[in-house]
Amino acid sequence: MFMKISAKTKICLIIGDPVSHSMSPAMHNAGYEALGIDDRFVFLGAKVKAQDVGVAVECMRKMGIHGLTCTIPHKVEVMKFLDEIDETAKKIGAVNTVLNKNGKLIGFNTDWQGTVIPLEKIISLSGKKVLVLGAGGAARAIVFGLLKKGAKVKIFNRTKEKAVKLAQEFNCQVTSLSIKSEIRDFDIIINTTSVGMKPLEKETPISTKFITNKQIVFDIVYVPFETKLLKEAKKRGARIIHGTEMLLHQGTTQFEIYTGHKAPEEVMRKILYEKN
Ligand code: NAP
């Protein structure tokens, strides 16, 4: 495919530290190829240290790089260096997508669609009771998305003060899950903590005893592909959603921002699932 690249090809780049594990280049390039636009776009990766994000944005500006995808640790810091930030990314307080629109650098956040799109393929979120586990960076985008779609959100976090702060900012509720059977009352449970990911792969963020077959359990952790929480929820008859679906849909939304074309979802999904 790379034989089609020329001096006219638009460059998109994921920056992070680390970055070599990222599936974004493979996912986006497969999408370009499927649409026959792999002469117009190419997606690469570059390791950029936390303190160098400003320099990376300056390079984007000077070199006319078309798209800049930001992952850990750049999503908040990058905002300082942009010309414009869309209202959603401002509310979430993080940018994972920068588009160079005729020299103007505009920041977006597509992480919230990464959660909302897979859920809304199964159920309408309006009025649904959702338990969000965690109050970190990913939780911010997810809580925003759920509330935007009319869900009733309660946040549970190990450090309760962080849950309270997030809930106050977004105008939703907090739970300490002191009555564990409360877990039964939710339509949807979403894990946004790193519990379940290595080295915590043998743990679950909550007791799974009260998960029921009427619930949807979504774990945004994607390494391992199926976390202990998802395995146990599946045994209890719940419908499960893997973290890879979030990765996919933050990517399909971003693909559309960078190219203006509808993303070939199945092609991009196949790339991510081949790894597992
Ligand atoms: P973060 O900002 O560092 O937040 C981490 C969250 O996990 C906090 O709520 C923290 O609670 C909680 N936590 C960490 N260790 C814990 C433990 N041992 N017990 C209980 N809670 C614990 O991280 P993030 O950026 O939000 O990312 C969180 C996870 O989501 C990571 O595993 C990341 O890989 C995954 N993620 C996946 C996608 C995707 O596309 N699928 C996208 C983004 C992130 P405290 O507040 O108490 O510290």
Side-chain angles (χ1 to χ4, degrees):
M1 72 179 276
F2 294 108
M3 297 308 287
K4 293 188 183 164
I5 295 170
S6 74
K8 289 184 196 151
T9 305
K10 290 183 172 172
I11 299 170
C12 299
L13 196 64
I14 179 165
I15 58 165
D17 185 13
V19 84
S20 59
H21 67 287
S22 173
M23 290 300 293
S24 288
M27 177 170 68
H28 284 263
N29 286 323
Y32 302 153
E33 193 176 17
L35 296 190
I37 54 171
D38 46 334
D39 57 337
R40 292 176 46 214
F41 296 95
V42 65
F43 200 111
L44 306 167
K47 180 172 162 177
V48 172
K49 291 193 185 125
Q51 66 269 26
D52 293 334
V53 64
V55 178
V57 173
E58 209 40 37
C59 287
M60 176 184 197
R61 205 184 281 284
K62 299 271 191 226
M63 293 167 68
I65 289 172
H66 180 67
L68 195 74
T69 295
C70 301
T71 185
I72 290 172
H74 303 312
K75 290 185 186 182
V76 176
E77 187 67 11
V78 72
M79 297 172 80
K80 285 188 198 160
F81 305 101
L82 306 179
D83 300 319
E84 198 178 304
I85 295 169
D86 95 319
E87 282 309 310
T88 296
K90 262 190 217 159
K91 279 189 194 134
I92 293 171
V95 159
N96 74 330
T97 305
V98 182
L99 175 72
N100 185 344
K101 196 173 177 188
N102 305 320
K104 191 176 191 187
L105 306 188
I106 310 169
F108 300 89
N109 187 306
T110 68
D111 283 334
W112 69 276
Q113 281 109 326
T115 326
V116 162
I117 296 172
L119 283 167
E120 289 219 310
K121 283 184 183 218
I122 303 175
I123 198 171
S124 159
L125 284 168
S126 178
K128 295 298 179 304
K129 289 188 255 174
V130 186
L131 174 62
V132 172
L133 309 172
R140 287 186 67 86
I142 289 167
V143 167
F144 169 86
L146 294 167
L147 293 170
K148 185 179 167 75
K149 295 292 175 180
K152 294 177 186 153
V153 176
K154 275 193 187 177
I155 305 168
F156 169 76
N157 192 46
R158 175 179 62 178
T159 311
K160 192 171 178 191
E161 303 78 70
K162 284 196 203 162
V164 169
K165 197 162 171 273
L166 183 59
Q168 278 172 348
E169 194 177 334
F170 284 98
N171 202 14
C172 63
Q173 287 180 301
V174 166
T175 172
S176 51
L177 290 181
S178 48
I179 305 163
K180 293 218 166 24
S181 58
E182 187 194 339
I183 290 169
R184 254 188 225 132
D185 301 337
F186 293 94
D187 301 301
I188 301 165
I189 299 168
I190 308 178
N191 176 43
T192 80
T193 76
S194 38
V195 179
M197 188 173 79
K198 275 186 180 169
L200 303 175
E201 73 270 28
K202 293 199 175 78
E203 293 183 27
T204 58
I206 48 164
S207 161
T208 53
K209 210 166 77 184
F210 296 104
I211 291 177
T212 76
N213 61 5
K214 295 192 173 61
Q215 292 176 315
I216 298 172
V217 179
F218 191 168
D219 197 333
I220 74 160
V221 170
Y222 59 92
V223 181
F225 174 69
E226 199 162 293
T227 58
K228 186 170 181 202
L229 172 68
L230 290 185
K231 286 193 171 116
E232 295 195 359
K234 191 157 77 175
K235 273 190 216 150
R236 299 189 62 81
R239 178 121 189 211
I240 62 165
I241 305 177
H242 298 95
T244 304
E245 287 296 308
M246 176 172 178
L247 201 59
L248 171 67
H249 286 291
Q250 61 77 31
T252 55
T253 309
Q254 186 171 78
F255 185 101
E256 291 169 14
I257 292 172
Y258 289 159
T259 67
H261 290 278
K262 185 158 174 44
E265 185 180 314
E266 275 318 311
V267 171
M268 292 169 76
R269 178 179 284 107
K270 192 163 166 265
I271 293 288
L272 297 180
Y273 281 68
E274 266 171 8
K275 273 267 171 185
N276 299 292

